[in-house]
Amino acid sequence: MKGLILNDFFCVKKFLIIYVRIFIVVLIVGSVLLLGTIHGNLKDADPHGELTDMLVGMFDLIIPLIAGLSVYALFEEVFFADKKGWSKYMFCLPVCDYRKVAARYIVATSTIVLSLVMFIGISAAFHSIAGSFTWKALGVPIAFYCVAVVLSYTGSAFLYWLGDKKKMGILTMSVYLIGGGGAVVYARTLEESVREEKLLEILNKIIDFTKDYWYLALIVTVVVIVLSYFVAVYAVKRREKFC
Amino acid sequence: MENIIEIKGLVKNYDGFSLKEVGFCLPKGSVMGFIGQNGAGKSTTIKAILNLIKTDGGSVTVFGKDSVKDEEAIKEQIGVVFDEPCFHDVLNANQINKVFKGIYKEWSEEAFFGYMKRFELPLKRKFKDFSRGMKMKMQIAVALSHNAKLLIMDEPTSGLDPVVRNEVLDVFMEYLLDGERSILISSHITVDLEKIADYVTFIDKGRIFMSDNKDNVLDNHRIIKCGKSDIDKIDSGDIAGKRENEFGVEVLIKSNIDRYSDMTLDRATLDEIILFYVKGNHPSPAGHPSKEGNL
């Protein structure tokens, strides 16, 4: 299995380097902006710290967005790219089906964990510079990132299952649109006259809930990763669509 | 003689195509040429041997073991070459070495880099920048670098120029020198198989119609060129196929060759044999079987 892990690692190596560089740039630019606002020449222009809060809030969105996009890019490379030749060849190697899938999941998951650690580190650094660091403050970006991860792993499981990228995309989107639509319908039945103010209230409640219970997103993510692994193994055992 | 591969009654059904009770054996230390037209069932049979597809009947044993139950143990001792590129585009030879070192217990870096040098393959260039011939050589180098006892190759020489094909065939011949190793090679380039095969198996429309020692096959077949009126002199039971053209008839004889010593007998090539068997009962538009070695 070590060889298969190395194989996938070599494939994502270039992507990882680019990804780390992007984070370093964001760290430097963000730190310079925040330090300039708090201690530098913008200090007088922002006496109440509104600009600082706005910058931190902006980075809270940008960083998980970059991380989320990186998850898609990673999955595109590890799972979704057309590698029919290699897939067929892989089944000729003396490696059991569990390990074939596990190798990909190890590379993808370790990259995702690395990405998570980096973006939590950078977010924590920005919040610390702004003097607003709490774990709760990181809850929303972490949950946002987890959504991207859950979507990607669901997609990879569907891809293993269906063996077709288009069908995978349609099924993944359908599942989550139906899920999202169902949630909206459910919310509307709870509150018949949902006005704009009410929507904002609901949104704020969701944000507060996410800040309090962000670790649930991590638990759900881990469960989805494990489930998607077993779906993938089951699909690989049927192997014909890969060969 | 010990058989490395034994296939009995292999059945696989697809929409519009099926393998029908395919069966043959590959004796230890020999090369089996697996010959057939495109779509005849060569690749499907090879996939069944490698357990890449679920079969609908029959059995496949490799090294005396069940190809499904003992899959991992079998694949440790098999080298595989496909006709399409298999490795990731971004990998170079050094990385491919590391990958396979982590997969095969008996991986030999010395052997791998030896083949790299012999095939003049660059170590740092990415796989995507290799020519088709180089990609094929890389696959062959990998297949030969983990002390495999059996090579299974699906059209390994297709698309290669004659120089590279010769080079590759020489490597296969060296691989067989110790008498412990065997090769199953599917190809529609029969001139290659005539050079290296000890046995040949012919497949058409999912059915094996001949599997024998290559020399027996070549010795037992002759082509008679005669006028249309002379064909009555040939026993219909001896005829494998015939091709009519404006000058007369070409008949492939499959038995009792001595009986026709008074007629002009030509040795048949593998290419001609399969052409007569598969297409031999219909007049050929060109009048002659292909002489270029390709089906």
Side-chain angles (χ1 to χ4, degrees):
Chain A
M1 189 170 77
K2 188 183 155 197
L4 293 181
I5 293 173
L6 270 176
N7 184 67
D8 284 338
F9 171 73
F10 288 137
C11 292
V12 299
K13 195 172 130 189
K14 190 179 168 188
F15 152 81
L16 278 175
I17 292 168
I18 294 170
Y19 182 59
V20 170
R21 280 179 186 163
I22 290 172
F23 262 107
I24 290 170
V25 169
V26 171
L27 179 65
I28 292 168
V29 171
S31 301
V32 167
L33 278 173
L34 281 169
L35 287 169
T37 313
I38 298 165
H39 303 292
N41 55 348
L42 291 173
K43 187 181 173 185
D44 297 335
D46 186 29
H48 305 295
E50 287 162 349
L51 184 60
T52 308
D53 289 345
M54 194 190 79
L55 280 173
V56 171
M58 188 182 75
F59 282 118
D60 274 350
L61 283 176
I62 289 174
I63 295 167
L65 187 68
I66 295 170
L69 287 174
S70 78
V71 171
Y72 180 77
L74 168 77
F75 272 65
E76 182 67 35
E77 194 57 54
V78 177
F79 292 105
F80 305 154
D82 181 24
K83 297 168 185 163
K84 184 121 189 173
W86 173 249
S87 295
K88 186 171 155 187
Y89 195 84
M90 200 166 61
F91 283 101
C92 302
L93 301 175
V95 182
C96 70
D97 293 338
Y98 289 102
R99 291 183 172 186
K100 283 183 194 107
V101 180
R104 281 189 174 171
Y105 271 68
I106 285 169
V107 172
T109 309
S110 50
T111 312
I112 279 166
V113 170
L114 175 76
S115 154
L116 185 68
V117 168
M118 280 198 298
F119 107 71
I120 286 177
I122 293 174
S123 292
F126 289 169
H127 277 280
S128 298
I129 291 169
S132 61
F133 176 76
T134 59
W135 281 108
K136 275 189 177 183
L138 298 181
V140 175
I142 288 174
F144 187 79
Y145 180 72
C146 286
V147 170
V149 174
V150 164
L151 273 169
S152 301
Y153 273 102
T154 313
S156 76
F158 286 157
L159 184 62
Y160 271 108
W161 186 268
L162 301 165
D164 184 283
K165 198 175 167 183
K166 267 187 189 170
K167 287 180 192 166
M168 175 272 287
I170 292 166
L171 187 59
T172 310
M173 292 308 290
S174 307
V175 166
Y176 285 99
L177 282 176
I178 290 167
V184 170
V185 171
Y186 180 68
R188 285 181 73 95
T189 55
L190 287 178
E191 181 55 75
E192 287 294 332
S193 56
V194 180
R195 295 172 310 194
E196 202 174 337
E197 290 83 2
K198 290 276 187 187
L199 274 174
L200 279 173
E201 274 178 31
I202 291 168
L203 194 64
N204 281 331
K205 275 182 188 171
I206 290 171
I207 289 171
D208 289 341
F209 179 84
T210 310
K211 282 180 176 175
D212 288 337
Y213 298 103
W214 58 270
Y215 54 87
L216 287 177
L218 282 180
I219 293 169
V220 170
T221 306
V222 171
V223 171
V224 168
I225 292 173
V226 173
L227 283 176
S228 115
Y229 168 73
F230 284 109
V231 170
V233 170
Y234 182 75
V236 160
K237 281 185 178 296
R238 296 186 303 169
R239 67 183 55 184
E240 291 201 19
K241 62 169 72 84
F242 302 97
C243 304
Chain B
M1 189 183 278
E2 186 186 342
N3 288 324
I4 295 298
I5 298 176
E6 278 185 21
I7 303 174
K8 290 176 187 164
L10 183 65
V11 177
K12 174 68 187 174
N13 297 313
Y14 292 108
D15 282 342
F17 173 77
S18 57
L19 286 183
K20 302 170 190 93
E21 302 276 333
V22 166
F24 63 87
C25 299
L26 170 61
K28 187 177 181 180
S30 59
V31 181
M32 167 79 77
F34 196 30
I35 307 170
Q37 301 178 90
N38 290 331
K42 301 188 298 291
S43 295
T44 308
T45 307
I46 284 177
K47 282 179 183 177
I49 295 169
L50 292 167
N51 191 29
L52 302 184
I53 52 171
K54 302 278 183 216
T55 57
D56 298 316
S59 67
V60 178
T61 56
V62 183
F63 306 117
K65 295 172 184 168
D66 186 276
S67 69
V68 178
K69 288 178 191 160
D70 301 305
E71 186 179 9
E72 276 181 66
I74 289 171
K75 286 178 178 174
E76 190 69 53
Q77 298 182 69
I78 294 181
V80 180
V81 178
F82 291 117
D83 63 338
E84 57 187 356
C86 289
F87 306 126
H88 287 310
D89 285 347
V90 296
L91 299 183
N92 61 36
N94 284 320
Q95 290 170 328
I96 286 173
N97 170 56
K98 285 177 187 165
V99 167
F100 285 96
K101 195 179 165 188
I103 290 174
Y104 289 109
K105 287 176 191 159
E106 291 194 49
W107 180 257
S108 165
E109 284 186 291
E110 195 185 343
F112 178 73
F113 287 116
Y115 283 115
M116 290 292 106
K117 197 173 176 185
R118 178 172 179 175
F119 291 147
E120 296 176 348
L121 294 175
L123 297 180
K124 290 182 180 172
R125 194 188 297 177
K126 286 181 181 171
F127 192 64
K128 67 177 175 187
D129 298 324
F130 279 19
S131 67
R132 179 172 169 78
M134 290 162 92
K135 284 179 179 175
M136 223 57 204
K137 285 177 182 176
M138 177 66 90
Q139 270 203 75
I140 291 164
V142 169
L144 296 173
S145 297
H146 60 94
N147 197 23
K149 300 286 184 290
L150 169 65
L151 280 189
I152 295 181
M153 297 182 281
D154 191 5
E155 309 276 4
T157 54
S158 66
L160 300 183
D161 65 64
V163 178
V164 176
R165 267 168 45 205
N166 256 325
E167 198 181 348
V168 164
L169 293 178
D170 286 344
V171 171
F172 294 158
M173 297 303 283
E174 284 172 28
Y175 167 80
L176 291 161
L177 282 177
D178 70 355
E180 294 293 311
R181 294 159 166 177
S182 315
I183 294 179
L184 174 67
I185 177 169
S186 94
S187 181
H188 55 257
I189 305 174
T190 52
V191 286
D192 289 348
L193 299 179
E194 281 189 42
K195 278 183 195 165
I196 66 163
D198 303 302
Y199 295 86
V200 285
T201 295
F202 294 90
I203 187 168
D204 185 45
K205 294 173 186 159
R207 197 186 296 276
I208 302 288
F209 67 85
M210 196 191 304
S211 185
D212 200 352
N213 184 297
K214 181 190 74 183
D215 293 334
N216 286 347
V217 170
L218 293 174
D219 289 345
N220 292 337
H221 287 86
R222 289 290 184 275
I223 293 172
I224 297 176
K225 291 174 182 168
C226 59
K228 286 177 186 172
S229 56
D230 295 331
I231 199 161
D232 296 337
K233 294 176 188 170
I234 305 170
D235 186 337
S236 60
D238 296 335
I239 297 175
K242 60 185 177 193
R243 295 162 67 87
E244 289 181 23
N245 57 46
E246 57 196 275
F247 306 109
V249 186
E250 289 179 328
V251 182
L252 182 74
I253 302 296
K254 63 181 177 184
S255 53
N256 299 317
I257 291 169
D258 295 340
R259 192 187 289 173
Y260 308 104
S261 53
D262 57 329
M263 302 175 92
T264 308
L265 296 170
D266 290 337
R267 276 184 77 86
T269 62
L270 292 176
D271 203 9
E272 287 165 332
I273 290 170
I274 193 169
L275 275 166
F276 273 98
Y277 271 98
V278 174
K279 309 273 187 192
N281 293 316
H282 309 286
S284 157
H288 292 280
S290 162
K291 299 290 182 189
E292 293 172 8
N294 291 322
L295 289 173

